[in-house]
Amino acid sequence: MNSPLHWPELQRTNAVPVPERLKVGQWLKLGSRAVVLHVAGSVLMQRAHEPEQAVAAGALLEPGDVLSTGRNGFVTVGFSDGSRVVMPSNSSAQLTEADGRHTRLSLRGGSIESHVEKQREREFEIRTRTYALGVKGTHFRARAEGGAEALEVLDGLVRVTELDGAGRSTDVGAREGIALGARNAALEVRDLLPPPVLRVSHDRNTVEAQAVPGAAAYRLQLANDSSFLQLAAESRGQLPQFALQTLTEPLDTGFYHTRIAAIDAQGLEGRPSEGVTFVAPMQAPMTSEAQSAGGGRWDIRWTTRQRPGHTVFELATTPDFASPLVTTSGAFASGVSVGPLQGPARYYWRSREQAEGESSSPTVWGGSFEVPPP
């Protein structure tokens, strides 16, 4: 509650007549415990009868608040027990309860991905228009798009309960999904489609994978982190090949974590394949490659600019380059040689080239390669 001076409010909320007589194991409701952790693009919040307003990271949410993402908007909400929910573009959900013991959200449209911590005596529930999805701890996606509802469980177990009518229920386990169709339709649990096998693309700013049998479409998501709690962009297409230049909003130059999932004819999104890609700036076509030179050494080559310039080269084992293994500068003609490198591991590189006599931003290029075990 940010300050010990709020103790009288805590006493009133929990009807505690004598604080000195609190008992071990007694539950206290601490009020709303939901905070916006990450925002990208257009995200709006509406509270009670107030007009919608843009929301930023750090905003505290109260029961009744409605979050909505635009076509290029993404938001992540965290709760006091460590659980996280991520809303991608074109989605809307209302927080109905978050008191530290019970967390409930109502999905109004679009989709929501939940990472729920496994803790005893805590309840987490997402409701669609016709079903309640209750969990104790799991990783799942709920969807309400185009009049259809669906659930996809990546880890753990989710209990699906019909809100009206016969009140039917069924359990959906890891790597399973269910299309929640018309009322009284069969609750058929299906296996999710397998993750697509990623391909090494030779076209710059392209992410692609092999086709999955039974897939009707594919979804690509890009994030700033490996947990995909900080989504940056997404796209959907009939083929598992995505040109990043066609995204709604241009991305900043740099490395992004990627995942591609196949979607079946019922609209269930399968298990994703995860990778890393380098988003290059929009400029003249450039190419790059990394080849083993033997003895643990690797040759990294990239297309340089027509005008010679000063280049800074970096090599690291993480895409954020927090602790680079190599940092060197000079007038490199077409690349560098590094090593010996040990595997198995993935290495990331980037070069920043500034042409002589130019004051504009440097040309940035990068990539990654896998070093196999010895």
Side-chain angles (χ1 to χ4, degrees):
M1 300 180 72
N2 298 321
S3 169
L5 299 180
H6 290 299
W7 72 265
E9 175 186 346
L10 187 63
Q11 180 182 16
R12 291 191 302 270
T13 302
N14 292 273
V16 177
V18 183
E20 291 80 5
R21 295 183 182 179
L22 286 172
K23 298 179 180 179
V24 174
Q26 181 177 344
W27 279 96
L28 298 176
K29 292 185 178 181
L30 303 181
S32 177
R33 281 295 176 269
V35 61
V36 176
L37 300 178
H38 169 74
V39 171
S42 175
V43 179
L44 300 176
M45 180 187 72
Q46 185 171 26
R47 175 169 295 170
H49 300 292
E50 299 177 6
E52 284 187 322
Q53 58 183 349
V55 66
L60 297 177
L61 301 181
E62 300 178 358
D65 289 349
V66 177
L67 287 175
S68 301
T69 60
R71 66 173 185 170
N72 67 327
F74 306 90
V75 63
T76 301
V77 178
F79 300 93
S80 59
D81 64 353
S83 297
R84 304 286 187 266
V85 296
V86 182
M87 287 175 50
S89 58
N90 298 316
S91 300
S92 177
Q94 182 179 38
L95 177 67
T96 58
E97 189 172 5
D99 59 13
R101 188 176 182 184
H102 303 91
T103 301
R104 292 186 175 90
L105 297 100
S106 176
L107 179 60
R108 296 185 167 190
S111 62
I112 190 168
E113 181 172 344
S114 303
H115 303 257
V116 183
E117 290 294 318
K118 297 180 180 180
Q119 298 187 27
R120 297 180 59 187
E121 299 187 34
R122 295 177 185 263
E123 297 180 2
F124 187 99
E125 181 183 80
I126 288 183
R127 291 197 174 193
T128 65
R129 182 174 54 88
T130 53
Y131 288 88
L133 313 175
V135 301
K136 287 295 184 181
T138 188
H139 178 194
F140 72 100
R141 297 184 297 245
R143 200 176 312 283
E145 297 174 326
E149 300 174 2
L151 165 70
E152 300 127 12
V153 181
L154 301 176
D155 183 37
L157 185 73
V158 175
R159 169 63 60 89
V160 179
T161 304
E162 197 172 27
L163 293 176
D164 299 322
R168 299 172 301 164
S169 66
T170 188
D171 289 336
V172 182
R175 302 183 178 183
E176 294 181 337
I178 185 171
L180 306 173
R183 202 176 304 279
N184 299 323
L187 297 178
E188 180 184 0
V189 178
R190 300 165 53 91
D191 291 333
L192 297 179
L193 290 178
V197 177
L198 297 179
R199 287 178 172 173
V200 177
S201 177
H202 297 288
D203 299 329
R204 81 188 254 272
N205 286 351
T206 299
V207 178
E208 59 182 297
Q210 296 181 13
V212 175
Y218 299 86
R219 188 190 306 274
L220 166 72
Q221 289 185 323
L222 292 91
N224 297 311
D225 65 319
S226 59
S227 299
F228 288 84
L229 296 175
Q230 300 178 19
L231 291 180
E234 68 176 359
S235 181
R236 175 170 172 160
Q238 294 183 329
L239 299 176
Q241 183 173 355
F242 298 88
L244 302 185
Q245 294 94 331
T246 63
L247 296 176
T248 304
E249 295 291 334
L251 294 170
D252 294 334
T253 299
F255 284 95
Y256 291 85
H257 295 269
T258 66
R259 62 181 179 187
I260 297 180
I263 303 173
D264 65 18
Q266 285 191 316
L268 292 179
E269 185 172 320
R271 294 148 51 199
S273 292
E274 298 182 1
V276 176
T277 190
F278 181 81
V279 176
M282 300 296 293
Q283 57 192 24
M286 299 178 70
T287 60
S288 66
E289 62 178 356
Q291 292 184 342
S292 173
R297 298 193 63 82
W298 285 74
D299 293 331
I300 302 173
R301 300 289 180 259
W302 63 89
T303 303
T304 58
R305 298 172 54 160
Q306 294 182 353
R307 296 178 58 186
H310 180 80
T311 301
V312 176
F313 174 85
E314 293 177 289
L315 180 75
T317 54
T318 58
D320 59 5
F321 291 85
S323 300
L325 301 176
V326 175
T327 300
T328 185
S329 60
F332 304 115
S334 59
V336 299
S337 295
V338 295
L341 303 177
Q342 297 181 347
R346 176 166 289 276
Y347 291 84
Y348 303 86
W349 64 271
R350 66 183 178 186
S351 67
R352 289 172 290 174
E353 184 178 358
Q354 183 75 57
E356 294 182 2
E358 288 189 0
S359 59
S360 59
S361 300
T363 300
V364 181
W365 190 249
S368 65
F369 58 94
E370 194 83 24
V371 175

